[in-house]
Amino acid sequence: MEYLIWWAAFAAVTTYLAYTRASLGMFTLGYAVLLLAGNIFDVTGLVSWVIFAAIAIPLNVSSIRKQLISGKVLNVFRKIMPEMSTTEREAINAGTTWFEADLFKGDPDWQKMHNYPQPRLSAEEQAFLDGPVEEVCRMCDDWETTHELTDLTPEVWQYLKDHKFFAMIIKKQYGGLEFSAYAQSRVLQKLSSVSAVLSSTVGVPNSLGPGELLQHYGTKEQQDHYLPRLVTGEEIPCFALTSPEAGSDAGAIPDYGIVCKGEFEGKEVLGMRLTWNKRYITLAPVATILGLAFKLRDPDGLIGDTEELGITCALIPTDIDGVVTGRRHFPLNVTFQNGPTQGKDVFVPLDFIIGGKEMAGQGWRMLVECLSVGRAITLPSNSAGGVKTAALATGAYAHIRRQFKLPIGKMEGIEEAMGRIGGNAYLMDAVTTMSTGAIDLGEKPSVISAICKYHLTEKMRECINDAMDIHGGKGVCLGPNNYLGRGYQGAPIAITVEGANILTRNMIIYGQGAIRCHPYVLAEMEAAANPDFNKALDDFDAALFGHVGFTISNMVRSIWFSLTGARFKKSPYNDKTKRYYQLLTRFSSNMAFLSDFSMAALGGDLKRRERISARLGDILSYMYLASATLKRFNDEGRQKEDEALMMWAVEDSLYKTQQAIDELISNFPNRVFAALFRVVVLPFGSHLSKPSDKLDHKIARILQTPGAARDRLGAGQYLNKEDGNIIGKLELTLDNVIKSEAILAKISKQAGKRIPLINLDKLAEEALENGWIDDTEAQQLRITEEGRLQTINVDDFDPIDLVVDKERHLKIKEGKTSVKAA
């Protein structure tokens, strides 16, 4: 019996020390105390102490440990560590880690997350949203922009310049607005509720572009010259990175520059002869200043000893000889200015390099550092804004539109889709708020920015598909009154740009996350790359044994949480969210355990196992999405009316986290490790389910019923109810329909039968004549009918109005010329 008690104590001590992440010294002390107790009760003896000493001394005496263990492991690690390109290394080193690192470590501090300040707008930022942003939304007609002009109107362009929309990121000392990242996000969300062309046009100069690069890396002369001109719109910037031969693989760009002497503006200067061929460049057709990425070579050693200097960024005025601004691309009827740019043997001075010649070869580092910020703002904000507006519009339409004598929003199939739209709208706004809040705290969250870009653009595509399904013919037929069609057409654009989503999911999120967020992997890699063996061994030894303890701890924690369902884990709140925090903590430990053992099992091959990497990235991503949702719910006062939206968003993310874990295990190539994973992480199988039908029903009611929860969901969007704003008029019609439903119920009671909500103008006259309603109520029915018909009807056209080149069309139709000749 004493032996059983001692071994039970041994297991308990081991589990406790591993769970609490005790140090190696504490483990040693704990086992020494156990052996001493064993001696007292005559359970252990001299042999036990000898075995203990044989293990404890090499582990605790650093010189012996390094010689017997760490040094040998370091030599093996150096041989198996996959080769890392310069661009990969710079991408990994770019930016900072934030709360995603806590999620990766297996024990997130929820109170720490909730203590992050809630982002808020300054008075100046709020005034900008209420004034210039509201006004430019009023000025912009998306049908006119996308179909008739294929561009913003000259008046809108000038308004954007006059009110510094292109200078939100530029500091006040240069005349810019110097808005917070959160404010930029809110501006873009509001613009996106009117036009994707408008929000894209404003977003790009405030994201990755010359303005951002100049402020961080430009010389004083460059900053003083260009930044004030960018503020006033005297200069329109674009940035050219993508080539026909290199998209996501930016390190393979063929565009190049040769350091040489040449003549510029009548003088011989040291410069570069540039040749490039770029495409998909937003604002290129109208840009006056071109940010250009190219590979710089110095074959004659004119600026140093290095011949291949690497990717370099320069500012090129588009009006100098040799710069060719190509014709426009036509991206899926979302007609923001986008096109190619070329140059062949264009000579420019060396001081055209952003930051001067000292920054030659530093372009990729500059780009990835700036992208770690911009990627978290522009596309995620545009996506969130679009879905928020689609959620309100779909809710209004679903209540106004009748089928089978009832609002289509009461049909369960419609409720299911509306649940996804509303839940994701709540989540997406939460994610943009938390992520831009991190940027405003001084972070450059490269992993979070990749998560935001991928998941929010994908959710936008899913939600716009759902909205189109609900609207049916109303969404399909394009025209001035269609508020969904262009968003549906343009969804793949956001999926494609700033790193294609397939690449972002399969390579970037976990590829960067595993190295940047893991507490020991980057330290191990840096130690292994250190040519000073003694220093490398010291650093590697510390990282290695920290890593071993970390892995053991997460394995024990995963087993414990799997067996108990993490129900004993403390939560910051004891309400409906308690279970969510517990499950996220469990999945966090699972993530850390699966990550370490995946690296151990696959080694360098994990880099090539993209689908394994993608699923590990999904686990991290969905935990972050759920965390941001919980933070929003808390920041906004834990509103009872918002519970359904919060619960749907968190439960959907948790379900998808578990799904990613299950798929990872099922497809893991090493079946021995796969079996271990299932026993440790999912011993009782997958038990979480999708959000319930009941939650879908509650969200559908929120979207169709004006109230505080619906107002918070659509906060900040352009909802002005005046003529010219389709969404605002839709909101007005929803209000009128709800008022008229009460009048209709009154008439139905008087008539002794149920009267459908149709032909309300005629019904008003009949009911008024019968004395069932008064003049005010009759007028309400007439107004409602007008709005109802405008809502359910779709645009139609004279065939000639759909022809772009009417003169050519008429010649062909009249047989005056052939199609080919015309």
Side-chain angles (χ1 to χ4, degrees):
M1 178 61 70
E2 291 85 355
Y3 286 101
L4 289 176
I5 293 173
W6 189 87
W7 280 107
F10 177 85
V13 168
T14 300
T15 300
Y16 176 79
L17 291 172
Y19 183 91
T20 57
R21 297 188 168 165
S23 65
L24 177 59
M26 287 300 298
F27 266 94
T28 304
L29 178 62
Y31 290 144
V33 171
L34 272 176
L35 286 175
L36 186 60
N39 283 157
I40 294 172
F41 292 101
D42 201 25
V43 175
T44 60
L46 179 61
V47 174
S48 300
W49 282 102
V50 170
I51 294 172
F52 172 74
I55 297 172
I57 291 173
L59 289 178
N60 286 274
V61 179
S62 62
S63 58
I64 300 175
R65 183 178 68 234
K66 291 174 187 177
Q67 182 179 359
L68 295 180
I69 303 173
S70 301
K72 291 179 170 55
V73 176
L74 175 59
N75 289 329
V76 173
F77 191 81
R78 281 178 159 174
K79 293 177 182 177
I80 66 172
M81 188 173 69
E83 184 178 352
M84 188 178 299
S85 68
T86 301
T87 53
E88 286 177 311
R89 186 176 295 108
E90 290 179 344
I92 287 170
N93 290 330
T96 61
T97 58
W98 193 54
F99 191 69
E100 78 280 20
D102 285 52
L103 293 170
F104 207 105
K105 292 172 184 175
D107 190 19
D109 184 344
W110 299 115
Q111 200 55 56
K112 171 184 173 182
M113 180 189 77
H114 286 305
N115 286 340
Y116 291 133
Q118 180 184 5
R120 297 187 184 278
L121 297 171
S122 68
E124 181 185 2
E125 291 166 342
Q126 186 63 60
F128 187 77
L129 277 160
D130 295 339
V133 178
E134 185 86 2
E135 180 59 27
V136 83
C137 286
R138 185 180 293 112
M139 293 171 66
C140 189
D141 181 326
D142 196 47
W143 177 251
E144 178 184 54
T145 298
T146 59
H147 181 74
E148 296 173 1
L149 300 179
T150 64
D151 192 8
L152 299 170
T153 65
E155 292 78 14
V156 169
W157 272 106
Q158 192 59 48
Y159 192 88
L160 295 175
K161 294 176 183 179
D162 291 344
H163 290 82
K164 303 182 180 181
F165 277 81
F166 300 141
M168 291 193 290
I169 63 168
I170 296 179
K171 297 182 184 301
K172 290 182 182 294
Q173 70 185 86
Y174 301 107
L177 296 175
E178 199 174 345
F179 280 174
S180 65
Y182 176 65
Q184 294 172 48
S185 175
R186 306 316 284 189
V187 169
L188 294 175
Q189 285 194 30
K190 190 165 188 172
L191 297 179
S192 69
S193 62
V194 173
S195 169
V197 176
L198 180 61
S199 61
S200 298
T201 300
V202 172
V204 169
N206 289 290
S207 182
L208 176 62
E212 180 82 356
L213 294 169
L214 278 169
Q215 290 198 119
H216 284 87
Y217 309 104
T219 64
K220 187 177 186 305
E221 292 75 14
Q222 290 171 340
Q223 292 171 342
D224 290 344
H225 176 74
Y226 280 114
L227 290 175
R229 296 162 68 89
L230 289 171
V231 168
T232 61
E234 187 177 349
E235 301 282 7
I236 298 295
C238 71
F239 192 85
L241 173 63
T242 304
S243 301
E245 304 297 334
S248 298
D249 183 12
I253 58 174
D255 314 287
Y256 64 91
I258 304 293
V259 178
C260 60
K261 291 182 178 180
E263 186 174 306
F264 189 80
E265 295 182 345
K267 297 179 182 178
E268 185 180 70
V269 296
L270 184 61
M272 308 169 287
R273 196 163 297 282
L274 305 173
T275 296
W276 72 89
N277 178 25
K278 303 287 191 179
R279 65 179 178 185
Y280 308 143
I281 311 305
T282 298
L283 296 184
V286 296
T288 62
I289 185 73
L290 170 68
L292 182 68
F294 56 93
K295 289 183 176 177
L296 185 61
R297 304 170 191 158
D298 184 16
D300 298 327
L302 296 178
I303 61 173
D305 298 330
T306 304
E307 180 175 343
E308 298 291 336
L309 293 168
I311 295 176
T312 301
C313 295
L315 288 178
I316 314 296
T318 58
D319 60 355
I320 66 175
D321 290 343
V323 177
V324 178
T325 298
R327 302 193 301 172
R328 287 180 63 182
H329 298 316
F330 192 51
L332 292 173
N333 278 330
V334 182
T335 53
F336 57 94
Q337 292 284 344
N338 187 278
T341 174
Q342 295 94 20
K344 183 173 177 59
D345 293 331
V346 177
F347 181 80
V348 297
L350 208 61
D351 60 12
F352 277 28
I353 295 173
I354 298 175
K357 70 176 183 179
E358 290 75 16
M359 295 301 289
Q362 300 300 308
W364 184 242
R365 176 176 65 85
M366 294 160 59
L367 291 173
V368 292
E369 285 181 353
C370 290
L371 191 61
S372 67
V373 173
R375 189 189 267 154
I377 301 175
T378 304
L379 288 172
S381 300
N382 287 350
S383 298
V387 171
K388 285 167 62 176
T389 298
L392 298 191
T394 303
Y397 181 82
H399 190 87
I400 296 166
R401 182 77 167 102
R402 260 52 176 181
Q403 290 283 302
F404 309 109
K405 297 183 180 179
L406 78 158
I408 63 171
K410 290 188 176 182
M411 299 177 180
E412 290 192 354
I414 301 293
E415 285 186 342
E416 180 182 1
M418 291 178 73
R420 287 193 294 267
I421 296 171
N424 279 315
Y426 186 87
L427 177 147
M428 293 168 75
D429 204 5
V431 172
T432 56
T433 299
M434 181 166 168
S435 303
T436 54
I439 294 169
D440 290 331
L441 291 173
E443 302 293 341
K444 293 185 177 181
S446 55
V447 178
I448 284 177
S449 68
I451 291 172
C452 290
K453 191 275 173 179
Y454 170 74
H455 285 278
L456 267 60
T457 56
E458 288 292 342
K459 284 181 178 295
M460 176 271 295
R461 175 160 61 179
E462 178 184 9
C463 290
I464 201 71
N465 282 342
D466 280 329
M468 287 289 287
D469 287 349
I470 292 171
H471 281 77
K474 177 72 175 180
V476 168
C477 294
L478 288 173
N481 292 301
N482 186 315
Y483 43 83
L484 288 177
R486 293 305 193 210
Y488 175 78
Q489 286 180 306
I493 300 172
I495 302 295
T496 301
V497 299
E498 286 191 13
N501 275 10
I502 290 177
L503 170 95
T504 303
R505 174 177 178 257
N506 286 47
M507 298 176 66
I508 294 178
I509 293 175
Y510 183 77
Q512 284 189 319
I515 297 173
R516 290 305 311 276
C517 298
H518 196 287
Y520 301 106
V521 167
L522 183 58
E524 290 168 337
M525 293 177 67
E526 289 175 341
N530 192 335
D532 182 343
F533 185 80
N534 290 329
K535 180 66 168 67
L537 183 56
D538 288 343
D539 294 342
F540 188 79
D541 175 73
L544 174 65
F545 278 87
H547 195 159
V548 170
F550 178 75
T551 303
I552 293 172
S553 174
N554 283 307
M555 181 174 180
V556 169
R557 290 169 66 87
S558 289
I559 293 172
W560 173 249
F561 289 147
S562 297
L563 293 176
T564 64
R567 292 184 182 276
F568 300 110
K569 180 63 180 174
K570 186 178 178 181
S571 169
Y573 298 96
N574 288 317
D575 56 11
K576 291 182 178 179
T577 64
K578 177 180 180 179
R579 189 76 191 114
Y580 301 152
Y581 290 104
Q582 291 174 333
L583 287 168
L584 282 169
T585 299
R586 170 187 173 176
F587 288 144
S588 178
S589 290
N590 294 160
M591 166 78 188
F593 165 74
L594 290 168
S595 182
D596 277 332
F597 274 78
S598 294
M599 287 187 274
L602 301 177
D605 196 39
L606 180 57
K607 180 180 177 181
R608 292 174 288 277
R609 296 279 187 171
E610 294 177 14
R611 298 184 75 174
I612 299 298
S613 176
R615 290 176 179 119
L616 288 165
D618 287 345
I619 300 169
L620 178 62
S621 297
Y622 287 121
M623 287 193 296
Y624 179 73
L625 302 185
S627 301
T629 303
L630 289 170
K631 177 165 173 56
R632 173 185 180 172
F633 183 67
N634 189 66
D635 285 347
E636 294 183 351
R638 310 184 75 79
Q639 301 289 337
K640 180 74 175 176
E641 302 98 320
D642 297 354
E643 274 188 358
L645 294 162
M646 176 275 295
M647 292 171 67
W648 191 101
V650 176
E651 289 179 17
D652 182 67
S653 297
L654 289 171
Y655 171 75
K656 289 175 178 174
T657 303
Q658 181 181 259
Q659 192 176 39
I661 291 173
D662 192 25
E663 290 176 2
L664 169 69
I665 296 171
S666 297
N667 292 278
F668 200 76
N670 186 314
R671 299 315 298 162
V672 174
F673 274 79
L676 172 66
F677 291 166
R678 194 162 292 282
V679 169
V680 171
V681 177
L682 294 176
F684 305 120
S686 300
H687 64 284
L688 298 180
S689 57
K690 295 180 180 180
S692 67
D693 296 351
K694 187 177 292 186
L695 280 179
D696 288 340
H697 173 76
K698 289 180 178 179
I699 292 174
R701 296 277 72 76
I702 289 172
L703 295 189
Q704 295 176 77
T705 309
R710 192 175 187 274
D711 289 345
R712 280 188 290 272
L713 191 68
Q717 299 310 100
Y718 181 61
L719 303 174
N720 191 306
K721 295 177 181 179
E722 65 183 22
D723 288 340
N725 182 17
I726 309 171
I727 304 300
K729 295 293 285 185
L730 188 60
E731 289 288 288
L732 180 61
T733 300
L734 173 63
D735 293 339
N736 286 328
V737 165
I738 291 173
K739 292 175 183 176
S740 293
E741 285 173 337
I743 301 172
L744 196 64
K746 180 179 176 181
I747 296 172
S748 295
K749 184 177 180 180
Q750 292 286 343
K753 62 180 180 179
R754 182 182 175 188
I755 299 175
L757 196 144
I758 190 172
N759 298 322
L760 298 181
D761 51 347
K762 295 178 182 178
L763 179 63
E765 303 308 322
E766 180 184 343
L768 192 61
E769 185 178 332
N770 289 328
W772 295 340
I773 59 175
D774 58 28
D775 288 335
T776 301
E777 291 170 319
Q779 182 61 15
Q780 179 65 62
L781 291 176
R782 297 186 194 104
I783 293 171
T784 301
E785 181 65 8
E786 181 182 353
R788 188 187 73 84
L789 291 176
Q790 185 176 3
T791 298
I792 66 174
N793 288 333
V794 299
D795 297 291
D796 52 56
F797 303 87
D798 187 306
I800 194 64
D801 290 335
L802 295 176
V803 177
V804 176
D805 188 341
K806 295 182 174 62
E807 184 178 347
R808 174 178 178 272
H809 172 78
L810 290 172
K811 285 182 179 179
I812 295 170
K813 191 172 183 180
E814 294 168 4
K816 294 179 180 179
T817 186
S818 66
V819 173
K820 186 173 181 180

